[in-house]
mmCIF file with all atom_site columns, all heavy atoms in Angstrom:
data_model
loop_
_atom_site.group_PDB
_atom_site.id
_atom_site.type_symbol
_atom_site.label_atom_id
_atom_site.label_alt_id
_atom_site.label_comp_id
_atom_site.label_asym_id
_atom_site.label_entity_id
_atom_site.label_seq_id
_atom_site.pdbx_PDB_ins_code
_atom_site.Cartn_x
_atom_site.Cartn_y
_atom_site.Cartn_z
_atom_site.occupancy
_atom_site.B_iso_or_equiv
_atom_site.pdbx_formal_charge
_atom_site.auth_seq_id
_atom_site.auth_comp_id
_atom_site.auth_asym_id
_atom_site.auth_atom_id
_atom_site.pdbx_PDB_model_num
ATOM 1   N N   . VAL H 1 90  ? -31.978 -21.339 -28.482 1.00 87.00 ? 90  VAL H N   1
ATOM 2   C CA  . VAL H 1 90  ? -31.958 -20.489 -27.297 1.00 87.00 ? 90  VAL H CA  1
ATOM 3   C C   . VAL H 1 90  ? -32.492 -19.093 -27.605 1.00 87.00 ? 90  VAL H C   1
ATOM 4   O O   . VAL H 1 90  ? -33.075 -18.443 -26.739 1.00 87.00 ? 90  VAL H O   1
ATOM 5   C CB  . VAL H 1 90  ? -30.522 -20.394 -26.716 1.00 87.00 ? 90  VAL H CB  1
ATOM 6   C CG1 . VAL H 1 90  ? -30.472 -19.509 -25.496 1.00 87.00 ? 90  VAL H CG1 1
ATOM 7   C CG2 . VAL H 1 90  ? -30.005 -21.782 -26.398 1.00 87.00 ? 90  VAL H CG2 1
ATOM 8   N N   . VAL H 1 91  ? -32.306 -18.619 -28.825 1.00 92.00 ? 91  VAL H N   1
ATOM 9   C CA  . VAL H 1 91  ? -32.824 -17.319 -29.247 1.00 92.00 ? 91  VAL H CA  1
ATOM 10  C C   . VAL H 1 91  ? -33.663 -17.510 -30.504 1.00 92.00 ? 91  VAL H C   1
ATOM 11  O O   . VAL H 1 91  ? -33.551 -18.524 -31.191 1.00 92.00 ? 91  VAL H O   1
ATOM 12  C CB  . VAL H 1 91  ? -31.692 -16.288 -29.514 1.00 92.00 ? 91  VAL H CB  1
ATOM 13  C CG1 . VAL H 1 91  ? -30.863 -16.047 -28.275 1.00 92.00 ? 91  VAL H CG1 1
ATOM 14  C CG2 . VAL H 1 91  ? -30.825 -16.697 -30.682 1.00 92.00 ? 91  VAL H CG2 1
ATOM 15  N N   . THR H 1 92  ? -34.492 -16.517 -30.780 1.00 93.00 ? 92  THR H N   1
ATOM 16  C CA  . THR H 1 92  ? -35.262 -16.515 -32.019 1.00 93.00 ? 92  THR H CA  1
ATOM 17  C C   . THR H 1 92  ? -34.686 -15.438 -32.926 1.00 93.00 ? 92  THR H C   1
ATOM 18  O O   . THR H 1 92  ? -33.982 -14.528 -32.463 1.00 93.00 ? 92  THR H O   1
ATOM 19  C CB  . THR H 1 92  ? -36.756 -16.230 -31.767 1.00 93.00 ? 92  THR H CB  1
ATOM 20  O OG1 . THR H 1 92  ? -36.885 -14.942 -31.152 1.00 93.00 ? 92  THR H OG1 1
ATOM 21  C CG2 . THR H 1 92  ? -37.376 -17.296 -30.884 1.00 93.00 ? 92  THR H CG2 1
ATOM 22  N N   . ARG H 1 93  ? -35.003 -15.559 -34.200 1.00 95.00 ? 93  ARG H N   1
ATOM 23  C CA  . ARG H 1 93  ? -34.573 -14.520 -35.127 1.00 95.00 ? 93  ARG H CA  1
ATOM 24  C C   . ARG H 1 93  ? -35.602 -14.407 -36.240 1.00 95.00 ? 93  ARG H C   1
ATOM 25  O O   . ARG H 1 93  ? -36.338 -15.340 -36.525 1.00 95.00 ? 93  ARG H O   1
ATOM 26  C CB  . ARG H 1 93  ? -33.181 -14.786 -35.688 1.00 95.00 ? 93  ARG H CB  1
ATOM 27  C CG  . ARG H 1 93  ? -33.119 -15.893 -36.706 1.00 95.00 ? 93  ARG H CG  1
ATOM 28  C CD  . ARG H 1 93  ? -31.720 -16.075 -37.248 1.00 95.00 ? 93  ARG H CD  1
ATOM 29  N NE  . ARG H 1 93  ? -31.709 -17.115 -38.274 1.00 95.00 ? 93  ARG H NE  1
ATOM 30  C CZ  . ARG H 1 93  ? -30.616 -17.646 -38.771 1.00 95.00 ? 93  ARG H CZ  1
ATOM 31  N NH1 . ARG H 1 93  ? -29.422 -17.254 -38.333 1.00 95.00 ? 93  ARG H NH1 1
ATOM 32  N NH2 . ARG H 1 93  ? -30.684 -18.574 -39.700 1.00 95.00 ? 93  ARG H NH2 1
ATOM 33  N N   . ARG H 1 94  ? -35.642 -13.229 -36.825 1.00 96.00 ? 94  ARG H N   1
ATOM 34  C CA  . ARG H 1 94  ? -36.470 -13.017 -38.008 1.00 96.00 ? 94  ARG H CA  1
ATOM 35  C C   . ARG H 1 94  ? -35.717 -12.085 -38.940 1.00 96.00 ? 94  ARG H C   1
ATOM 36  O O   . ARG H 1 94  ? -34.932 -11.233 -38.507 1.00 96.00 ? 94  ARG H O   1
ATOM 37  C CB  . ARG H 1 94  ? -37.841 -12.480 -37.645 1.00 96.00 ? 94  ARG H CB  1
ATOM 38  C CG  . ARG H 1 94  ? -37.866 -11.044 -37.195 1.00 96.00 ? 94  ARG H CG  1
ATOM 39  C CD  . ARG H 1 94  ? -39.302 -10.533 -36.987 1.00 96.00 ? 94  ARG H CD  1
ATOM 40  N NE  . ARG H 1 94  ? -39.275 -9.169  -36.528 1.00 96.00 ? 94  ARG H NE  1
ATOM 41  C CZ  . ARG H 1 94  ? -39.210 -8.107  -37.318 1.00 96.00 ? 94  ARG H CZ  1
ATOM 42  N NH1 . ARG H 1 94  ? -39.186 -8.249  -38.629 1.00 96.00 ? 94  ARG H NH1 1
ATOM 43  N NH2 . ARG H 1 94  ? -39.166 -6.890  -36.809 1.00 96.00 ? 94  ARG H NH2 1
ATOM 44  N N   . ARG H 1 95  ? -35.961 -12.302 -40.219 1.00 96.00 ? 95  ARG H N   1
ATOM 45  C CA  . ARG H 1 95  ? -35.277 -11.493 -41.222 1.00 96.00 ? 95  ARG H CA  1
ATOM 46  C C   . ARG H 1 95  ? -35.918 -10.112 -41.280 1.00 96.00 ? 95  ARG H C   1
ATOM 47  O O   . ARG H 1 95  ? -37.127 -9.965  -41.246 1.00 96.00 ? 95  ARG H O   1
ATOM 48  C CB  . ARG H 1 95  ? -35.340 -12.162 -42.588 1.00 96.00 ? 95  ARG H CB  1
ATOM 49  C CG  . ARG H 1 95  ? -34.476 -11.441 -43.623 1.00 96.00 ? 95  ARG H CG  1
ATOM 50  C CD  . ARG H 1 95  ? -34.298 -12.210 -44.902 1.00 96.00 ? 95  ARG H CD  1
ATOM 51  N NE  . ARG H 1 95  ? -33.423 -13.366 -44.805 1.00 96.00 ? 95  ARG H NE  1
ATOM 52  C CZ  . ARG H 1 95  ? -32.097 -13.330 -44.770 1.00 96.00 ? 95  ARG H CZ  1
ATOM 53  N NH1 . ARG H 1 95  ? -31.476 -12.171 -44.757 1.00 96.00 ? 95  ARG H NH1 1
ATOM 54  N NH2 . ARG H 1 95  ? -31.389 -14.432 -44.734 1.00 96.00 ? 95  ARG H NH2 1
ATOM 55  N N   . SER H 1 96  ? -35.070 -9.119  -41.368 1.00 94.00 ? 96  SER H N   1
ATOM 56  C CA  . SER H 1 96  ? -35.502 -7.743  -41.550 1.00 94.00 ? 96  SER H CA  1
ATOM 57  C C   . SER H 1 96  ? -34.601 -7.146  -42.618 1.00 94.00 ? 96  SER H C   1
ATOM 58  O O   . SER H 1 96  ? -33.460 -6.768  -42.333 1.00 94.00 ? 96  SER H O   1
ATOM 59  C CB  . SER H 1 96  ? -35.375 -6.967  -40.237 1.00 94.00 ? 96  SER H CB  1
ATOM 60  O OG  . SER H 1 96  ? -35.722 -5.610  -40.432 1.00 94.00 ? 96  SER H OG  1
ATOM 61  N N   . GLY H 1 97  ? -35.074 -7.127  -43.847 1.00 92.00 ? 97  GLY H N   1
ATOM 62  C CA  . GLY H 1 97  ? -34.233 -6.697  -44.959 1.00 92.00 ? 97  GLY H CA  1
ATOM 63  C C   . GLY H 1 97  ? -33.163 -7.738  -45.198 1.00 92.00 ? 97  GLY H C   1
ATOM 64  O O   . GLY H 1 97  ? -33.456 -8.916  -45.333 1.00 92.00 ? 97  GLY H O   1
ATOM 65  N N   . ARG H 1 98  ? -31.913 -7.318  -45.210 1.00 91.00 ? 98  ARG H N   1
ATOM 66  C CA  . ARG H 1 98  ? -30.802 -8.248  -45.430 1.00 91.00 ? 98  ARG H CA  1
ATOM 67  C C   . ARG H 1 98  ? -30.234 -8.807  -44.134 1.00 91.00 ? 98  ARG H C   1
ATOM 68  O O   . ARG H 1 98  ? -29.367 -9.672  -44.163 1.00 91.00 ? 98  ARG H O   1
ATOM 69  C CB  . ARG H 1 98  ? -29.696 -7.528  -46.204 1.00 91.00 ? 98  ARG H CB  1
ATOM 70  C CG  . ARG H 1 98  ? -30.112 -7.172  -47.621 1.00 91.00 ? 98  ARG H CG  1
ATOM 71  C CD  . ARG H 1 98  ? -29.063 -6.389  -48.356 1.00 91.00 ? 98  ARG H CD  1
ATOM 72  N NE  . ARG H 1 98  ? -27.745 -7.015  -48.281 1.00 91.00 ? 98  ARG H NE  1
ATOM 73  C CZ  . ARG H 1 98  ? -26.615 -6.397  -48.500 1.00 91.00 ? 98  ARG H CZ  1
ATOM 74  N NH1 . ARG H 1 98  ? -26.620 -5.118  -48.815 1.00 91.00 ? 98  ARG H NH1 1
ATOM 75  N NH2 . ARG H 1 98  ? -25.466 -7.034  -48.416 1.00 91.00 ? 98  ARG H NH2 1
ATOM 76  N N   . ALA H 1 99  ? -30.713 -8.315  -43.021 1.00 89.00 ? 99  ALA H N   1
ATOM 77  C CA  . ALA H 1 99  ? -30.154 -8.732  -41.724 1.00 89.00 ? 99  ALA H CA  1
ATOM 78  C C   . ALA H 1 99  ? -31.176 -9.541  -40.923 1.00 89.00 ? 99  ALA H C   1
ATOM 79  O O   . ALA H 1 99  ? -32.341 -9.636  -41.302 1.00 89.00 ? 99  ALA H O   1
ATOM 80  C CB  . ALA H 1 99  ? -29.737 -7.499  -40.926 1.00 89.00 ? 99  ALA H CB  1
ATOM 81  N N   . PHE H 1 100 ? -30.719 -10.095 -39.824 1.00 96.00 ? 100 PHE H N   1
ATOM 82  C CA  . PHE H 1 100 ? -31.597 -10.774 -38.880 1.00 96.00 ? 100 PHE H CA  1
ATOM 83  C C   . PHE H 1 100 ? -31.707 -9.934  -37.619 1.00 96.00 ? 100 PHE H C   1
ATOM 84  O O   . PHE H 1 100 ? -30.760 -9.256  -37.217 1.00 96.00 ? 100 PHE H O   1
ATOM 85  C CB  . PHE H 1 100 ? -31.043 -12.149 -38.494 1.00 96.00 ? 100 PHE H CB  1
ATOM 86  C CG  . PHE H 1 100 ? -31.233 -13.203 -39.536 1.00 96.00 ? 100 PHE H CG  1
ATOM 87  C CD1 . PHE H 1 100 ? -30.158 -13.673 -40.256 1.00 96.00 ? 100 PHE H CD1 1
ATOM 88  C CD2 . PHE H 1 100 ? -32.492 -13.732 -39.798 1.00 96.00 ? 100 PHE H CD2 1
ATOM 89  C CE1 . PHE H 1 100 ? -30.317 -14.659 -41.216 1.00 96.00 ? 100 PHE H CE1 1
ATOM 90  C CE2 . PHE H 1 100 ? -32.677 -14.708 -40.756 1.00 96.00 ? 100 PHE H CE2 1
ATOM 91  C CZ  . PHE H 1 100 ? -31.582 -15.176 -41.470 1.00 96.00 ? 100 PHE H CZ  1
ATOM 92  N N   . LEU H 1 101 ? -32.883 -10.006 -36.999 1.00 97.00 ? 101 LEU H N   1
ATOM 93  C CA  . LEU H 1 101 ? -33.096 -9.438  -35.680 1.00 97.00 ? 101 LEU H CA  1
ATOM 94  C C   . LEU H 1 101 ? -33.206 -10.609 -34.717 1.00 97.00 ? 101 LEU H C   1
ATOM 95  O O   . LEU H 1 101 ? -33.929 -11.572 -34.983 1.00 97.00 ? 101 LEU H O   1
ATOM 96  C CB  . LEU H 1 101 ? -34.386 -8.612  -35.642 1.00 97.00 ? 101 LEU H CB  1
ATOM 97  C CG  . LEU H 1 101 ? -34.415 -7.379  -36.535 1.00 97.00 ? 101 LEU H CG  1
ATOM 98  C CD1 . LEU H 1 101 ? -35.809 -6.757  -36.517 1.00 97.00 ? 101 LEU H CD1 1
ATOM 99  C CD2 . LEU H 1 101 ? -33.376 -6.366  -36.068 1.00 97.00 ? 101 LEU H CD2 1
ATOM 100 N N   . TYR H 1 102 ? -32.503 -10.535 -33.593 1.00 97.00 ? 102 TYR H N   1
ATOM 101 C CA  . TYR H 1 102 ? -32.452 -11.618 -32.622 1.00 97.00 ? 102 TYR H CA  1
ATOM 102 C C   . TYR H 1 102 ? -33.148 -11.192 -31.333 1.00 97.00 ? 102 TYR H C   1
ATOM 103 O O   . TYR H 1 102 ? -33.119 -10.021 -30.955 1.00 97.00 ? 102 TYR H O   1
ATOM 104 C CB  . TYR H 1 102 ? -31.002 -11.990 -32.308 1.00 97.00 ? 102 TYR H CB  1
ATOM 105 C CG  . TYR H 1 102 ? -30.289 -12.622 -33.470 1.00 97.00 ? 102 TYR H CG  1
ATOM 106 C CD1 . TYR H 1 102 ? -29.668 -11.846 -34.440 1.00 97.00 ? 102 TYR H CD1 1
ATOM 107 C CD2 . TYR H 1 102 ? -30.248 -14.012 -33.600 1.00 97.00 ? 102 TYR H CD2 1
ATOM 108 C CE1 . TYR H 1 102 ? -29.017 -12.443 -35.521 1.00 97.00 ? 102 TYR H CE1 1
ATOM 109 C CE2 . TYR H 1 102 ? -29.600 -14.607 -34.672 1.00 97.00 ? 102 TYR H CE2 1
ATOM 110 C CZ  . TYR H 1 102 ? -28.994 -13.815 -35.622 1.00 97.00 ? 102 TYR H CZ  1
ATOM 111 O OH  . TYR H 1 102 ? -28.357 -14.407 -36.687 1.00 97.00 ? 102 TYR H OH  1
ATOM 112 N N   . GLN H 1 103 ? -33.746 -12.195 -30.664 1.00 95.00 ? 103 GLN H N   1
ATOM 113 C CA  . GLN H 1 103 ? -34.417 -11.931 -29.401 1.00 95.00 ? 103 GLN H CA  1
ATOM 114 C C   . GLN H 1 103 ? -34.316 -13.159 -28.511 1.00 95.00 ? 103 GLN H C   1
ATOM 115 O O   . GLN H 1 103 ? -34.361 -14.293 -28.994 1.00 95.00 ? 103 GLN H O   1
ATOM 116 C CB  . GLN H 1 103 ? -35.891 -11.592 -29.640 1.00 95.00 ? 103 GLN H CB  1
ATOM 117 C CG  . GLN H 1 103 ? -36.621 -11.145 -28.412 1.00 95.00 ? 103 GLN H CG  1
ATOM 118 C CD  . GLN H 1 103 ? -38.010 -10.602 -28.737 1.00 95.00 ? 103 GLN H CD  1
ATOM 119 O OE1 . GLN H 1 103 ? -38.562 -10.862 -29.794 1.00 95.00 ? 103 GLN H OE1 1
ATOM 120 N NE2 . GLN H 1 103 ? -38.551 -9.839  -27.820 1.00 95.00 ? 103 GLN H NE2 1
ATOM 121 N N   . ALA H 1 104 ? -34.164 -12.909 -27.212 1.00 90.00 ? 104 ALA H N   1
ATOM 122 C CA  . ALA H 1 104 ? -34.201 -13.987 -26.228 1.00 90.00 ? 104 ALA H CA  1
ATOM 123 C C   . ALA H 1 104 ? -35.654 -14.101 -25.770 1.00 90.00 ? 104 ALA H C   1
ATOM 124 O O   . ALA H 1 104 ? -36.151 -13.223 -25.077 1.00 90.00 ? 104 ALA H O   1
ATOM 125 C CB  . ALA H 1 104 ? -33.283 -13.680 -25.048 1.00 90.00 ? 104 ALA H CB  1
ATOM 126 N N   . PRO H 1 105 ? -36.346 -15.156 -26.204 1.00 74.00 ? 105 PRO H N   1
ATOM 127 C CA  . PRO H 1 105 ? -37.777 -15.247 -25.906 1.00 74.00 ? 105 PRO H CA  1
ATOM 128 C C   . PRO H 1 105 ? -38.098 -15.676 -24.485 1.00 74.00 ? 105 PRO H C   1
ATOM 129 O O   . PRO H 1 105 ? -39.224 -15.592 -24.059 1.00 74.00 ? 105 PRO H O   1
ATOM 130 C CB  . PRO H 1 105 ? -38.262 -16.329 -26.883 1.00 74.00 ? 105 PRO H CB  1
ATOM 131 C CG  . PRO H 1 105 ? -37.077 -17.197 -27.085 1.00 74.00 ? 105 PRO H CG  1
ATOM 132 C CD  . PRO H 1 105 ? -35.880 -16.279 -26.988 1.00 74.00 ? 105 PRO H CD  1
ATOM 133 N N   . SER H 1 106 ? -37.110 -16.130 -23.762 1.00 67.00 ? 106 SER H N   1
ATOM 134 C CA  . SER H 1 106 ? -37.373 -16.702 -22.445 1.00 67.00 ? 106 SER H CA  1
ATOM 135 C C   . SER H 1 106 ? -37.257 -15.676 -21.333 1.00 67.00 ? 106 SER H C   1
ATOM 136 O O   . SER H 1 106 ? -36.675 -14.614 -21.482 1.00 67.00 ? 106 SER H O   1
ATOM 137 C CB  . SER H 1 106 ? -36.418 -17.858 -22.198 1.00 67.00 ? 106 SER H CB  1
ATOM 138 O OG  . SER H 1 106 ? -35.092 -17.418 -22.312 1.00 67.00 ? 106 SER H OG  1
#
Side-chain angles (χ1 to χ4, degrees):
V90 179
V91 300
T92 60
R93 73 178 182 191
R94 73 174 179 86
R95 188 169 287 283
S96 177
R98 293 176 50 200
F100 283 108
L101 296 173
Y102 292 86
Q103 187 171 19
S106 57

